[in-house]
Amino acid sequence: MDNLQTQGISLPRLGLGTFRMQGDTCRAAVESALALGYRHIDTAEMYGNEEAIGAALSSAAIARNDLHITTKVWHDNLAPDAIQRAFDASLKKLRVDHVDLYLVHWPSRNMRLSAIFETLMRLKEEGRTRAIGVANFTTALLKTVVEEIKAPIACNQLEYHVMLDQGAVLKYLAAKSIPLVAYCPLAQGRVASDETLAKIGAKHGASAAQVALKWLLDQPGVAAIPKASRRESQKANLDALTINLDDEDRKAIAALPKDRRCVNPSFAPAWDR
Ligand SMILES: NC(=O)c1ccc[n+]([C@@H]2O[C@H](COP(=O)([O-])OP(=O)(O)OC[C@H]3O[C@@H](n4cnc5c(N)ncnc54)[C@H](OP(=O)(O)O)[C@@H]3O)[C@@H](O)[C@H]2O)c1
């Protein structure tokens, strides 16, 4: 699988999302994904599934260096001592001595960015996370982190799919060579029933979901973390990498509505337009 090189890590462009999977279901899904060849697992303290993922990782005989594990600190744990506690708890649950990427899950209104990144940098210098990054950061917030604090951000994890425009923030990320890791890459499964995508898929012997995924992965600097609990979906998402979309397909996808945001909690920042 193709990897993105960013801040000293090699990030597999297709990973497994794990939100809303817990306990034995989560453990089984991660074991199945690892057996299929997934090497990038995305979790967060908030998902309540790090223990299940830790169990799956330790039962799979895969060298730690071949795995990429991302976890995240929740927005009410952004004081330095709270980050430290959350981080220690995540490592313990995941049964690892380091993660590959540690992200600020959401910005919060009263956060102190310089203190946050000082703490994250210390974790990186200690080798307990190989890289640090953010999720749900707008261009304005990124500018502060990258240009003022000068933190070595390895990614911005954002909602991005065929039905949501992220042109503005993508432009900034590309200029700074920071990858965008697309969450909800299948618009939480909604893309599977889209007629335009199904039509394009039929042309290539593929499904609508596979078309949506390949559209993302064709873009430079973009990775994606679809959540799939079923083995067939996990395999279909890997197989999507072999589809060859053409200009006509891209034109049809460009004409889809681009304002269908799936994740917009009350604490979300004012999104880029
Ligand atoms: N940083 C953040 O704030 C943030 C926010 C949201 C999500 N995330 C991360 O991003 C991951 C993905 O987002 P998401 O889970 O919300 O949505 P998603 O990946 O867009 O969609 C998941 C849904 O699509 C279905 N699916 C998967 N592969 C399919 C296929 N080939 N054909 C048809 N349906 C398919 C899944 O079904 P089955 O499970 O039944 O297979 C599931 O219902 C999360 O799990 C999480 O790791 C991060």
Side-chain angles (χ1 to χ4, degrees), residues 41 43-45 50 69-73 90 94 99 101-103:
I41 308 293
T43 181
E45 61 161 327
E50 291 173 309
I69 306 165
T70 297
T71 193
K72 319 181 189 85
V73 57
S90 287
L94 287 164
V99 287
L101 194 45
Y102 195 50
L103 306 183

Side-chain angles (χ1 to χ4, degrees), residues 113-152:
L113 279 172
S114 55
I116 291 171
F117 286 97
E118 220 169 88
T119 309
L120 295 186
M121 277 307 293
R122 190 168 38 73
L123 295 173
K124 180 172 147 84
E125 277 153 19
E126 290 168 357
R128 302 181 76 214
T129 183
R130 292 182 59 226
I132 59 173
V134 295
N136 299 300
F137 270 43
T138 58
T139 305
L141 286 166
L142 283 170
K143 278 188 176 162
T144 307
V145 174
V146 174
E147 294 170 34
E148 289 175 31
I149 298 173
K150 300 194 190 306

Side-chain angles (χ1 to χ4, degrees), residues 17-19 42 47 136 157 183-184 186 188 225 227 229 237:
T18 65
F19 187 32
D42 182 83
Y47 300 170
N136 299 300
Q157 189 178 116
Y183 76 66
C184 299
L186 306 175
Q188 294 182 335
I225 47 169
K227 174 238 166 191
S229 50
N237 295 342

Side-chain angles (χ1 to χ4, degrees), residues 9-255:
I9 60 168
S10 186
L11 179 74
R13 293 188 67 190
L14 183 64
L16 182 77
T18 65
F19 187 32
R20 293 197 197 86
M21 288 201 288
Q22 286 175 330
D24 288 345
T25 313
C26 180
R27 179 179 174 162
V30 173
E31 284 175 353
S32 145
L34 293 173
L36 282 168
Y38 283 80
R39 292 294 179 265
H40 168 178
I41 308 293
D42 182 83
T43 181
E45 61 161 327
M46 191 278 262
Y47 300 170
N49 61 16
E50 291 173 309
E51 267 164 346
I53 292 171
L57 293 172
S58 62
S59 75
I62 298 171
R64 177 66 187 86
N65 285 350
D66 293 334
L67 286 170
H68 172 98
I69 306 165
T70 297
T71 193
K72 319 181 189 85
V73 57
W74 193 235
H75 63 88
D76 54 9
N77 276 337
L78 293 178
D81 57 337
I83 295 178
Q84 185 68 57
R85 277 196 300 275
F87 182 81
D88 290 343
S90 287
L91 283 201
K92 195 165 170 210
K93 288 178 187 166
L94 287 164
R95 304 192 205 175
V96 290
D97 62 4
H98 71 278
V99 287
D100 298 280
L101 194 45
Y102 195 50
L103 306 183
V104 175
H105 202 151
W106 286 89
S108 81
R109 291 203 174 92
N110 55 3
M111 66 185 171
R112 284 182 46 233
L113 279 172
S114 55
I116 291 171
F117 286 97
E118 220 169 88
T119 309
L120 295 186
M121 277 307 293
R122 190 168 38 73
L123 295 173
K124 180 172 147 84
E125 277 153 19
E126 290 168 357
R128 302 181 76 214
T129 183
R130 292 182 59 226
I132 59 173
V134 295
N136 299 300
F137 270 43
T138 58
T139 305
L141 286 166
L142 283 170
K143 278 188 176 162
T144 307
V145 174
V146 174
E147 294 170 34
E148 289 175 31
I149 298 173
K150 300 194 190 306
I153 294 303
C155 79
N156 187 17
Q157 189 178 116
L158 280 181
E159 178 173 347
Y160 186 34
H161 47 74
V162 287
M163 294 177 190
L164 186 67
D165 176 36
Q166 289 288 20
V169 66
L170 263 171
K171 197 170 160 201
Y172 183 78
L173 291 169
K176 300 291 175 190
S177 303
I178 300 171
L180 186 159
V181 176
Y183 76 66
C184 299
L186 306 175
Q188 294 182 335
R190 291 176 183 84
V191 299
S193 53
D194 182 82
E195 280 177 17
T196 303
L197 299 172
K199 229 191 223 169
I200 298 170
K203 200 169 111 184
H204 298 284
S207 70
Q210 288 177 309
V211 169
L213 204 49
K214 189 58 184 346
W215 176 83
L216 282 172
L217 295 174
D218 277 343
Q219 299 173 43
V222 174
I225 47 169
K227 174 238 166 191
S229 50
R230 293 172 301 121
R231 185 183 183 281
E232 308 83 74
S233 298
Q234 294 175 350
K235 171 138 185 0
N237 295 342
L238 275 179
D239 291 345
L241 292 167
T242 62
I243 305 169
N244 287 313
L245 298 177
D246 58 33
D247 286 346
E248 188 191 19
D249 302 334
R250 279 186 282 273
K251 207 168 150 197
I253 293 171

